Amino acid sequence: MLSKPWEAAALQCILEARAAIITLKHLCRPRLNFEPKHLIIGDVMVVVLALTRGRSSSSVLLSICRQWCAYTLAADIYPHVRWVPSQRNAADDSSRRRRRHLVDSDVAESQ
């Protein structure tokens, strides 16, 4: 898990897209351990759809989509980006520095 504070303030969807690029760069690094398929989970629907389709009306997000495509082509990998609600994203809790409280429905589903 990677963790560091952002240097500049931006919209949440842009920060999430930049985090996805950092994740993709990390997946491209180990040349000997290339796996062609990877699953990346995000909780911002705008970013998930933009990276899945490779397009966006936002110029900043479009630039990130182009970087995404360049890395996937260069490394010959196929990342699959999927959306999960924020409440179900276990990685969100540590970034917000709070404990996850299970509700009765979560406990019932896990049994």
Side-chain angles (χ1 to χ4, degrees):
M1 179 177 273
L2 304 171
S3 176
K4 76 174 199 175
W6 292 107
E7 296 174 1
L11 293 174
Q12 182 63 34
C13 65
I14 301 302
L15 295 177
E16 186 87 13
R18 289 180 183 159
I21 288 292
I22 291 169
T23 302
L24 187 61
K25 285 181 184 179
H26 184 73
L27 291 173
C28 293
R29 284 187 184 146
R31 302 286 277 160
L32 299 175
N33 298 330
F34 265 3
E35 292 291 328
K37 296 181 181 179
H38 297 280
L39 176 64
I40 299 173
I41 298 173
D43 61 355
V44 178
M45 181 71 81
V46 171
V47 175
V48 170
L49 293 177
L51 293 177
T52 301
R53 292 177 173 230
R55 62 183 184 198
S56 174
S57 60
S58 164
S59 60
V60 177
L61 201 50
L62 180 61
S63 172
I64 292 171
C65 287
R66 289 176 178 163
Q67 289 177 34
W68 180 271
C69 291
Y71 278 110
T72 58
L73 287 172
D76 194 28
I77 60 174
Y78 306 97
H80 298 278
V81 186
R82 297 295 179 252
W83 177 81
V84 294
S86 293
Q87 297 84 357
R88 303 291 252 167
N89 190 352
D92 243 9
D93 292 338
S94 62
S95 67
R96 294 184 179 155
R97 291 184 172 82
R98 66 176 185 210
R99 294 180 64 199
R100 181 175 178 174
H101 299 287
L102 293 175
V103 293
D104 293 337
S105 61
D106 287 341
V107 174
E109 288 177 9
S110 65
Q111 294 177 350

